[in-house]
Amino acid sequence: MSITILYFASLREALGVEREQLSLPPGIRDVARLRVWLLARGEDWAPLAAPRIRAAVNQVLASDATTVADKDEIAFFPPVTGG
Amino acid sequence: MAQVSINVQHEDFDAGAELDALSGNGAAGAVASFLGYVRGGDAGGILAMTLEHYPGMTERALADIVALAQERWSLLGVRVIHRVGRLLPGERIVFVGVAGSHRGEAFSACQFIMDYLKTQAPFWKKEETANGAHWVDARDSDDAALARWRP
């Protein structure tokens, strides 16, 4: 299963990554499991663990339970501050 | 059907022309609008502000917000413009304009769209001051402003 992940704003700067293309092992079926799997890659990914970090799947706000599927575009970002 | 226009852009815009466009079809009895600017000159000493967005999702989120407003009020026109990139104090950031038959729905829908935009649309502000640059934190008061529209 191959997905694209985007990071925005302060999270992008903290991680030093804007975008990555990943092949996921079987079993990563929702946002919660994806986040755990990403965090397991090492300490550098710790900023992704902050509870305030929100997720979107295919450009729609997602929850921990939102399904992740092949070719999805997942985004992680801090609370929004526009306007 | 209401005429809806949504733009996320680097360029500045002409607020007067936007208001004219909203009232243009002659059907509107009322146009309410909001303009947001980069604050300057206060103790915070903002030198510039950079706005980041999520291309694609941002436009979609704004369209969803306008659609929610149209479910609540009978609107004749809605225009939303949000700028991105680096802006200086005094520059326009955001315009929301709503045309309706009467002032009540125009005022309410304008405020509704701004309250949702502030808390739901993926934009992020980074401020530059003499002490360096920092990302702006989300404000609880913005969440409170949103909560009053919920049943």
Side-chain angles (χ1 to χ4, degrees):
Chain A
M1 181 161 100
S2 163
I3 60 165
T4 303
I5 308 187
L6 306 174
Y7 304 99
F8 288 95
S10 55
L11 181 63
R12 168 174 51 76
E13 288 190 352
L15 298 174
V17 179
E18 183 175 342
R19 176 190 194 95
E20 52 182 345
Q21 205 90 37
L22 293 175
S23 286
L24 297 183
I28 311 291
R29 279 182 237 103
D30 58 34
V31 170
R33 287 189 181 89
L34 173 62
R35 203 195 283 232
V36 168
W37 187 77
L38 293 169
L39 284 166
R41 296 186 296 173
E43 263 174 32
D44 291 351
W45 297 91
L48 193 56
R52 67 190 193 102
I53 296 298
R54 304 180 80 178
V57 174
N58 297 327
Q59 307 194 348
V60 176
L61 272 181
S63 70
D64 280 353
T66 304
T67 303
V68 172
D70 192 34
K71 308 243 176 1
D72 276 355
E73 176 181 296
I74 320 287
F76 290 101
F77 45 80
V80 304
T81 55
Chain B
M1 265 320 266
Q3 300 247 316
V4 174
S5 123
I6 291 166
N7 290 96
V8 178
Q9 62 190 46
H10 279 85
E11 314 82 68
D12 194 13
F13 51 85
D14 180 342
E18 295 302 323
L19 291 173
D20 286 345
L22 279 163
S23 61
N25 62 11
V31 173
S33 66
F34 173 83
L35 264 174
Y37 295 86
V38 180
R39 264 178 301 114
D42 62 6
I46 296 166
L47 303 175
M49 183 172 271
T50 300
L51 277 133
E52 180 173 329
H53 77 301
Y54 180 173
M57 181 174 171
T58 304
E59 290 82 352
R60 191 166 171 164
L62 293 174
D64 288 347
I65 291 166
V66 170
L68 274 180
Q70 289 181 277
E71 282 172 20
R72 281 179 91 121
W73 296 281
S74 170
L75 306 175
L76 298 169
V78 181
R79 296 176 84 84
V80 179
I81 303 173
H82 202 300
R83 294 178 69 193
V84 291
R86 189 170 182 271
L87 302 174
L88 301 175
E91 284 201 77
R92 282 175 278 270
I93 304 174
V94 59
F95 173 90
V96 173
V98 177
S101 297
H102 303 284
R103 72 181 185 284
E105 59 223 21
F107 273 133
S108 296
C110 186
Q111 197 157 20
F112 175 95
I113 291 168
M114 268 314 296
D115 287 346
Y116 269 76
L117 183 158
K118 280 258 178 199
T119 50
Q120 309 288 306
F123 290 102
W124 301 273
K125 286 192 184 112
K126 189 178 196 178
E127 288 177 353
E128 293 169 41
T129 69
N131 298 323
H134 66 274
W135 291 94
V136 174
D137 283 326
R139 290 150 47 119
D140 291 341
S141 59
D142 289 331
D143 287 327
L146 181 69
R148 68 193 152 137
W149 299 107
R150 298 211 158 132

